[in-house]
Amino acid sequence: MAAEGSRGALQAPVLQDSEASRTVAAADPQPPNARDGGEIPESLRLPAAEERVGSSLGVRSIDPAESLSQVLEVSGEYKIPLPQGKFQAICSALHNQICSPAKQLSIENHKELFHCVLLLARSSPDDLLAFLHEQLEIEHEAVRVASLDLLRAIVGADLPETRVKKLLIVKAVKSNLSDQNATVRKAALHFIRTLLSSGSVENCAAWDLVAYVFSEFSVSTSKLSVEEESTIQTLCIDILQCLDTSVNGMTQVLWPRLLEYVVPAQYTGTLKPLCRCLRELAEKKQQEGEAAACLDYSGQGL
């Protein structure tokens, strides 16, 4: 069953030229201020945008993502909703191009595809996150890695529309933390590094992800080569080394739970970044006063 789901995800239908044009045209013939009599630049009028989109969602276009991003920008700027059913089709087409092993993306095209996804995150964050969560449930390496990379891009962009949805995003990522595939594990760790470096980690179950970093450092599976395990361990150390206690909510996330990892032998290799972070936390707690420095293992507020 998993294999069938995998093939379905990678063979999602790609919208063709006429469909791409109808996606925007069906939403509204002209932007609001055009209907109200206001003038807008010719290049931003939807008929012109439709001409630019061409085969924006098909493999035949020279630069499909750029054309699609222009249409989505017009749609977002003038608050024109995508027709019902088209949002899912666009998400599937974009995701398919990102994770398809048959299509080697250029750096520029890769950036444009991710830009399109960020535009969708601004217009319909709940729908997009639900779509990516569904993709993470598919047991296929490329599908999961692409979904984790897109969630990392969304968190890294720190969009107002998705900033309050970090808990939902973390829950989606946590559903994949038991995957032992090396590429998926690295994608999850890269997501965690971006999340922990974002503007705030309050109320998003961030400690579970920190604990996962320690777990990944110590775990060893017979399925991976020594080199792959070494790469993962190096990434874990890099994440811990870059922990920034000045990030909003980070002190509450890390203190005092980091102390759990000081003694166990399997975490000896993490002691350098761990002690550096503990020193900074202790200094902050000392500045806050004696009451703040008291250890509270109840976990309340984390």
Side-chain angles (χ1 to χ4, degrees):
M1 293 298 294
E4 292 180 8
S6 302
R7 288 195 298 270
L10 289 177
Q11 295 173 2
V14 178
L15 300 183
Q16 300 303 318
D17 300 358
S18 58
E19 275 193 279
S21 296
R22 288 198 300 271
T23 295
V24 180
D28 204 313
Q30 290 290 351
N33 60 347
R35 294 197 306 271
D36 296 337
E39 289 296 325
I40 61 172
E42 180 68 27
S43 61
L44 291 182
R45 294 178 183 171
L46 284 183
E50 290 178 51
E51 291 178 8
R52 289 199 306 273
V53 77
S55 52
S56 61
L57 292 176
V59 297
R60 292 175 294 172
S61 175
I62 295 176
D63 195 352
E66 183 177 359
S67 298
L68 176 60
S69 67
Q70 291 171 349
V71 173
L72 293 176
E73 285 169 359
V74 171
S75 175
E77 181 177 354
Y78 294 102
K79 309 300 181 186
I80 305 171
L82 295 173
Q84 187 175 6
K86 291 298 184 183
F87 185 90
Q88 183 81 10
I90 292 176
C91 287
S92 296
L94 288 170
H95 196 277
N96 182 56
Q97 292 199 33
I98 291 171
C99 67
S100 174
K103 185 179 176 71
Q104 188 68 33
L105 296 173
S106 67
I107 294 177
E108 287 303 317
N109 193 240
H110 188 272
K111 288 181 179 178
E112 284 292 344
L113 289 170
F114 273 64
H115 178 59
C116 288
V117 174
L118 292 180
L119 290 172
L120 293 174
R122 302 203 68 166
S123 63
S124 302
D126 290 328
D127 292 335
L128 178 63
L129 294 180
F131 170 80
L132 292 175
H133 198 167
E134 289 176 0
Q135 298 303 304
L136 285 173
E137 294 175 354
I138 298 173
E139 294 183 12
H140 191 286
E141 175 189 303
V143 174
R144 286 186 170 179
V145 169
S147 301
L148 288 168
D149 286 347
L150 288 170
L151 288 173
R152 176 163 63 100
I154 291 170
V155 168
D158 196 28
L159 303 173
E161 296 82 1
T162 57
R163 196 175 297 148
V164 296
K165 301 183 183 298
K166 283 185 179 179
L167 181 59
L168 291 175
I169 295 175
V170 169
K171 285 183 177 180
V173 172
K174 284 172 63 179
S175 69
N176 271 204
L177 296 187
S178 61
D179 194 321
Q180 293 302 304
N181 178 280
T183 308
V184 174
R185 289 167 66 186
K186 285 185 284 187
L189 288 169
H190 282 299
F191 167 86
I192 292 171
R193 178 166 57 184
T194 298
L195 176 75
L196 296 178
S197 302
S198 62
S200 173
V201 293
E202 285 188 310
N203 304 317
C204 66
W207 172 255
D208 294 337
L209 300 183
V210 175
Y212 174 77
V213 175
F214 281 98
S215 173
E216 284 296 281
F217 178 85
S218 62
V219 75
S220 179
T221 66
S222 58
K223 296 181 180 179
L224 301 183
S225 67
V226 174
E227 183 179 357
E228 287 176 321
E229 290 291 0
S230 177
T231 300
I232 290 175
Q233 287 186 332
T234 300
L235 181 54
C236 290
I237 291 296
D238 181 58
I239 294 172
L240 295 173
Q241 188 66 52
C242 294
L243 280 177
D244 185 355
T245 57
S246 67
V247 169
N248 191 28
M250 186 66 80
T251 299
Q252 291 77 8
V253 168
L254 299 180
W255 184 265
R257 291 183 172 184
L258 270 185
L259 294 173
E260 298 174 13
Y261 295 97
V262 174
V263 178
Q266 64 265 37
Y267 302 120
T268 301
T270 70
L271 279 179
K272 183 177 179 180
L274 181 59
C275 289
R276 188 272 307 169
C277 196
L278 283 171
R279 175 177 54 79
E280 293 180 5
L281 288 170
E283 289 173 352
K284 289 190 66 174
K285 285 296 181 180
Q286 191 175 35
Q287 292 171 4
E288 293 173 9
E290 183 178 349
C294 293
L295 298 183
D296 177 13
Y297 284 96
S298 67
Q300 294 180 358
L302 295 177

